[in-house]
């Protein structure tokens, strides 16, 4: 899963970022509101973690920008500001949870787990794909008969996106934005990545819709 982190305290930013990376997340971290605006407007994420008091645009403004385009993706606000005015404003603007500093990282991670479960409407993170395959969205791990299959960084991102859009077309634009951060790429690069994933799944599980995108099929539902 791709997480965006805004925290101006360098040490805390690194602790959170490294802890999430060690748990299999892909993290883009910013230290100020100026860079944060540019980053969130040009990339796609599965989760946002925002500090309130940062240089430039504060966490509330970043939250407003996120909610203008994205109503569903979970957002956690973390702040040393514990007054009710800031807490009420954060929820009014659309945050999912307000965590007060200082906090234990495990508390933050439990909140992330809860909202990921809620978003995917499941009691577990393991998504059954059929043909003895499954994918753990939280750990970014593909399994075949409970045996994990090695995936590269981009393969993990692509599988995560396909699983989140299971049985629906994942557009070429979505893949470009999510896997390549909308950066310039050759069309052959995407085809090559899709081909590598197909080789790790049973034939027919990924369907190509020419000019549109790709669909990961859960055969157990058909």
């Amino acid at each position: 899963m791709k997480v965006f982190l805004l925290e101006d305290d360098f040490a805390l930013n690194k602790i959170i970022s490294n802890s999430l990376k060690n748990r299999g997340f892909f993290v883009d971290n910013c230290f100020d509101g100026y860079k944060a605006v540019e980053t969130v407007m040009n990339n796609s994420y599965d989760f946002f973690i925002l500090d309130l008091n940062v240089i430039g645009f504060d966490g509330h403004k970043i939250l407003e920008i996120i909610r203008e385009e994205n109503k569903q993706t979970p957002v956690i606000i973390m702040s040393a500001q514990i007054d009710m005015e800031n807490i009420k404003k954060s929820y009014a603007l659309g945050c999912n949870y307000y965590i007060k500093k200082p906090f234990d990282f495990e508390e933050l991670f439990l909140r992330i787990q809860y909202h990921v479960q809620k978003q995917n409407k499941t009691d577990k993170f393991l998504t059954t794909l059929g043909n003895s395959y499954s994918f753990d969205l939280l750990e970014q791990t593909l399994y075949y008969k409970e045996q994990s299959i090695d995936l590269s960084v981009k393969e993990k991102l692509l599988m995560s996106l396909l699983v989140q859009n299971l049985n629906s077309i994942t557009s070429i634009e979505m893949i470009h934005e999510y896997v390549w951060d909308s950066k310039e790429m050759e069309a052959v690069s995407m085809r090559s990545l899709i081909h590598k994933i197909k080789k790790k799944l049973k034939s027919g599980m990924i369907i190509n819709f020419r000019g549109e995108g790709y669909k990961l099929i859960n055969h157990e539902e058909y």
Side-chain angles (χ1 to χ4, degrees):
M1 297 185 70
K2 291 181 70 176
V3 176
F4 174 81
L5 170 64
L6 172 62
E7 169 58 61
D8 66 349
D9 183 296
F10 184 83
L12 182 57
N13 189 307
K14 289 300 181 184
I15 289 171
I16 296 174
S17 179
N18 290 336
S19 297
L20 289 174
K21 288 177 181 177
N22 289 336
R23 291 175 183 260
F25 291 85
F26 302 93
V27 183
D28 281 346
N29 53 331
C30 287
F31 299 91
D32 66 78
Y34 298 117
K35 182 64 176 178
V37 170
E38 177 186 350
T39 304
V40 300
M41 291 183 69
N42 290 287
N43 296 282
S44 178
Y45 296 98
D46 301 302
F47 214 101
F48 295 90
I49 303 171
L50 308 176
D51 186 15
L52 281 187
N53 296 323
V54 296
I55 296 173
F57 299 100
D58 66 10
H60 282 147
K61 184 58 180 178
I62 304 301
L63 176 56
E64 283 186 272
I65 292 171
I66 291 169
R67 287 297 181 237
E68 284 176 3
E69 299 294 332
N70 191 325
K71 304 295 185 184
Q72 303 300 322
T73 302
V75 178
I76 287 180
I77 293 288
M78 55 183 186
S79 178
Q81 301 294 325
I82 60 174
D83 59 285
M84 286 307 299
E85 183 178 346
N86 270 306
I87 294 173
K88 287 180 178 179
K89 183 175 181 180
S90 297
Y91 282 111
L93 291 173
C95 87
N96 296 88
Y97 189 74
Y98 192 105
I99 188 168
K100 302 173 184 178
K101 296 179 181 178
F103 56 84
D104 189 294
F105 176 76
E106 283 303 314
E107 180 185 357
L108 176 62
F109 185 66
L110 285 172
R111 290 296 170 183
I112 293 173
Q113 283 184 312
Y114 169 78
H115 288 295
V116 171
Q117 285 178 328
K118 185 177 180 181
Q119 188 179 30
N120 289 284
K121 299 178 181 179
T122 178
D123 294 327
K124 56 184 180 179
F125 302 106
L126 204 63
T127 301
T128 300
L129 306 177
N131 297 313
S132 299
Y133 287 93
S134 58
F135 188 78
D136 190 313
L137 279 166
L138 197 64
E139 300 295 336
Q140 304 282 286
T141 304
L142 176 65
Y143 293 97
Y144 177 68
K145 295 183 177 178
E146 299 185 353
Q147 295 295 313
S148 62
I149 297 172
D150 288 336
L151 298 175
S152 68
V153 170
K154 279 188 167 52
E155 286 171 350
K156 287 181 179 181
L157 288 170
L158 177 59
M159 275 301 303
S160 178
L161 187 60
L162 291 171
V163 169
Q164 290 179 71
N165 292 282
L166 190 62
N167 297 324
S168 299
I169 296 176
T170 302
S171 71
I172 292 171
E173 291 76 18
M174 290 170 63
I175 297 173
H176 184 204
E177 179 181 0
Y178 190 83
V179 180
W180 277 272
D181 291 330
S182 298
K183 296 175 182 176
E184 188 173 338
M185 53 157 277
E186 298 288 338
V188 68
S189 298
M190 187 179 298
R191 292 197 296 269
S192 174
L193 185 62
I194 292 290
H195 178 69
K196 290 176 181 178
I197 289 292
K198 283 184 174 181
K199 288 179 66 176
K200 296 180 179 181
L201 298 170
K202 186 175 180 180
S203 177
M205 291 183 69
I206 294 181
I207 300 174
N208 177 17
F209 290 81
R210 188 176 297 277
E212 295 184 56
Y214 302 87
K215 181 189 289 188
L216 176 63
I217 297 293
N218 182 343
H219 287 276
E220 292 185 352
E221 296 185 7
Y222 285 80

